[in-house]
Amino acid sequence: CCCSSCSSCCCFILVRMAESKTALPAGGVGDDGVQDLTAMVQQLLGQMQDKFQGMSDQIVGRIDDMGSRIDELEKSLADLMAQAGVEAENEDAG
């Protein structure tokens, strides 16, 4: 292959065409061939966009979860500090 990321290069498109039994004509690509290739490229770009959106949504979801966990941790830490402060005052008084 000509690059390390075949999902975005012409090699990938040609492989997909071969898998779908679509062959380039020996004499060149006519208008129908250009339209077919354009449609295939648009379909592949749409699939890539859908996958990217899905991964992006997962990342945002995980970041939101992490933010919630951090908020809970901060609250727990504040509660522990408050309890330690109250206990330390009780020990000093006793």
Side-chain angles (χ1 to χ4, degrees):
C1 180
C2 60
C3 64
S4 61
S5 176
C6 281
S7 63
S8 62
C9 74
C10 58
C11 295
F12 182 71
I13 294 169
L14 293 175
V15 168
R16 290 295 299 247
M17 288 178 72
E19 289 173 351
S20 67
K21 308 289 189 248
T22 304
L24 293 174
V29 178
D31 288 340
D32 290 341
V34 170
Q35 290 175 355
D36 291 345
L37 184 58
T38 301
M40 181 172 283
V41 169
Q42 288 176 342
Q43 180 184 10
L44 289 173
L45 289 174
Q47 290 172 356
M48 289 172 60
Q49 184 176 2
D50 291 344
K51 287 181 182 181
F52 180 79
Q53 186 63 46
M55 289 188 300
S56 179
D57 292 345
Q58 284 180 342
I59 291 169
V60 168
R62 289 178 181 173
I63 289 172
D64 288 343
D65 290 344
M66 194 180 308
S68 297
R69 289 179 182 176
I70 289 172
D71 290 343
E72 290 173 14
L73 183 60
E74 287 175 340
K75 184 182 180 304
S76 296
L77 188 57
D79 291 345
L80 286 172
M81 290 173 64
Q83 288 176 1
V86 169
E87 289 175 7
E89 289 175 11
N90 288 341
E91 290 175 8
D92 290 341

